[in-house]
Amino acid sequence: MAEDTDSEKKRETQYLFSDSRHAEFGSAADCDNGNRGLEQTACWTDQETENNGFHDTKCDEIKETRILQAVAFLEDAVNYRSIQHKVDSKSLKLYRWYYSRPVQWFLYAVIGIVHLLAFVEVPSSLTLSSDVRLGIVRPNPPCGVTESVEIICLLVFVADIFIKAHLVGNRQVRKSKWLLVYTFVVGISIIDWTISLSFYCTEMVRVRRILRPFFIMQCSSIMKKTVHCIKQSLPEILRSASTCLLV
């Protein structure tokens, strides 16, 4: 009788594990239509297998994934991030690595370098004194120096886009306006960079310099929420301004 019960438990465990879902935002540990909690997850080993030193590695993977999911969601709440991302074990490890402090500070440094290039690019405004009578020569680096630094930064942004797209999935990529605009801005910047080198840095207008402030907005969830609030409040602001002008 006990053997029949053990066999039934084993069959139930195998059924639950085989029913794991690999949805775009689901975990490999979501069992039985995702309605079973952690307490109901079948992680069973009998006394005989324990005595033989057998450990259910699938059970350990499920527990590890659940812990990673809990930690990731808590970090999302603390940092005001969206929870619309993949929650399988590998994606969560990459997600936590991407939002780790060293990686984020590296991205901030790259964004800062891109904006600091404006002080040394032609026409440069970087001088030791604002007195024009001194005749101070402004920096005029050869064509290709600042462009080399800029293309490295743009390639970092391209890698950033691919990582974000992998973390959120194809469905959310199409829904994420910020990520789509981010891709568009980086694409336009690379095209403008190519045109700049084609004309040996003699072009009159550099579109990519106008688009650079967008990198500051997209890297911060607070900035995104601020822009969203301004967008919602803009009609009321315009109505109030037009009323004041008419009065």
Side-chain angles (χ1 to χ4, degrees), residues 170-234:
N170 295 330
R171 186 180 302 175
Q172 282 299 316
V173 167
R174 293 190 293 267
K175 294 180 181 179
S176 177
K177 296 179 181 179
W178 281 99
L179 189 56
L180 292 176
V181 176
Y182 186 23
T183 305
F184 174 77
V185 170
V186 173
I188 293 297
S189 298
I190 293 176
I191 294 173
D192 188 65
W193 178 88
T194 306
I195 295 174
S196 179
L197 286 183
S198 301
F199 286 93
Y200 298 99
C201 309
T202 58
E203 74 282 6
M204 297 299 296
V205 179
R206 296 182 181 179
V207 180
R208 61 185 186 277
R209 296 183 68 174
I210 304 173
L211 300 176
R212 284 174 185 172
F214 176 81
F215 298 136
I216 298 178
M217 292 188 294
Q218 69 83 28
C219 72
S220 173
S221 58
I222 302 297
M223 289 293 294
K224 293 178 182 178
K225 292 181 183 297
T226 302
V227 173
H228 181 68
C229 292
I230 294 175
K231 180 182 176 181
Q232 288 184 332
S233 303
L234 190 60

Side-chain angles (χ1 to χ4, degrees), residues 52-72:
N52 292 333
F54 175 77
H55 297 283
D56 195 345
T57 56
K58 185 66 176 180
C59 228
D60 295 336
E61 292 177 0
I62 290 175
K63 291 178 181 178
E64 181 184 1
T65 303
R66 295 293 187 182
I67 294 173
L68 285 174
Q69 289 172 353
V71 173

